[in-house]
Amino acid sequence: KLARLTEMLEEVLAAHERALVFTQFAEMGALIKTHVRETFGREVLFLHGGVPKAQRDRMVERFQAPGEAPPVFLLSLKAGGTGLNLTAADHVFLMDLCEGHFSRDTCKTLVDKALAAGCKGVEALLGRLGASPTEAEKAEIQRQCKTAADKRL
């Protein structure tokens, strides 16, 4: 999953676009942050449950700001799923949200939020566990993203 995320982030960064990366595990988020920073030499914002509200608000402002804002915003589900409006994101990556105890409905909620924000792409980087989307569901997510992006233009 990390190798595939790296490939996709390379494309996002080459196009000067921005991405949200959701994970349910803060420990995984820390590993991803270090990997992305070392691989691309770019700052990565990381919002998790231990981030104070004032710092959280500054992270959101920085990501939303035009220009040279950090292009990757990594969020743990519990910290990132509460009242954030991150419309500057062009792409959303769901690392492991549909595995374990998170339901398909949780994933759908995040995808719906991304689509409402006009994302260009949502990619679920999942293992094949019981709640993981099927290929048909992933294709539908991509179709919906394209439609949302077309409406945004």
Side-chain angles (χ1 to χ4, degrees), residues 24 35 44 49 56 58 64 70 75 78 95 129 139 146:
Q24 69 174 329
H35 174 76
V44 177
R56 167 190 155 137
R58 281 193 305 274
Q64 291 292 103
L75 304 102
K78 289 181 182 177
M95 280 300 288
L129 297 181
K146 181 180 181 333

Side-chain angles (χ1 to χ4, degrees), residues 29-124:
L31 293 171
I32 294 168
K33 177 182 177 178
T34 299
H35 174 76
V36 171
R37 186 181 61 235
E38 290 176 356
T39 301
F40 298 108
R42 304 291 298 268
E43 180 182 6
V44 177
L45 300 172
F46 179 29
L47 179 59
H48 53 82
V51 175
K53 184 180 180 336
Q55 186 178 351
R56 167 190 155 137
D57 292 346
R58 281 193 305 274
M59 288 177 166
V60 170
E61 287 174 21
R62 289 187 64 211
F63 185 76
Q64 291 292 103
E68 294 298 315
V72 179
F73 199 165
L74 180 61
L75 304 102
S76 71
L77 180 63
K78 289 181 182 177
T82 54
L84 294 179
N85 189 11
L86 298 168
T87 57
D90 299 295
H91 302 270
V92 177
F93 300 103
L94 311 176
M95 280 300 288
D96 49 23
L97 299 179
C98 295
E99 298 177 10
H101 66 278
F102 285 102
S103 69
R104 187 178 302 248
D105 290 339
T106 302
C107 294
K108 184 178 181 322
T109 299
L110 287 171
V111 169
D112 288 347
K113 286 180 183 182
L115 295 174
C119 72
K120 292 181 182 176
V122 176
E123 179 69 29

Side-chain angles (χ1 to χ4, degrees), residues 104 111 115 120-124 126 128 132-148:
R104 187 178 302 248
V111 169
L115 295 174
K120 292 181 182 176
V122 176
E123 179 69 29
L126 308 163
R128 287 300 301 153
S132 298
T134 66
E135 290 303 315
E137 289 169 325
K138 289 181 190 179
E140 177 61 16
I141 290 168
Q142 292 296 338
R143 186 196 64 73
Q144 289 176 12
C145 281
K146 181 180 181 333
T147 300

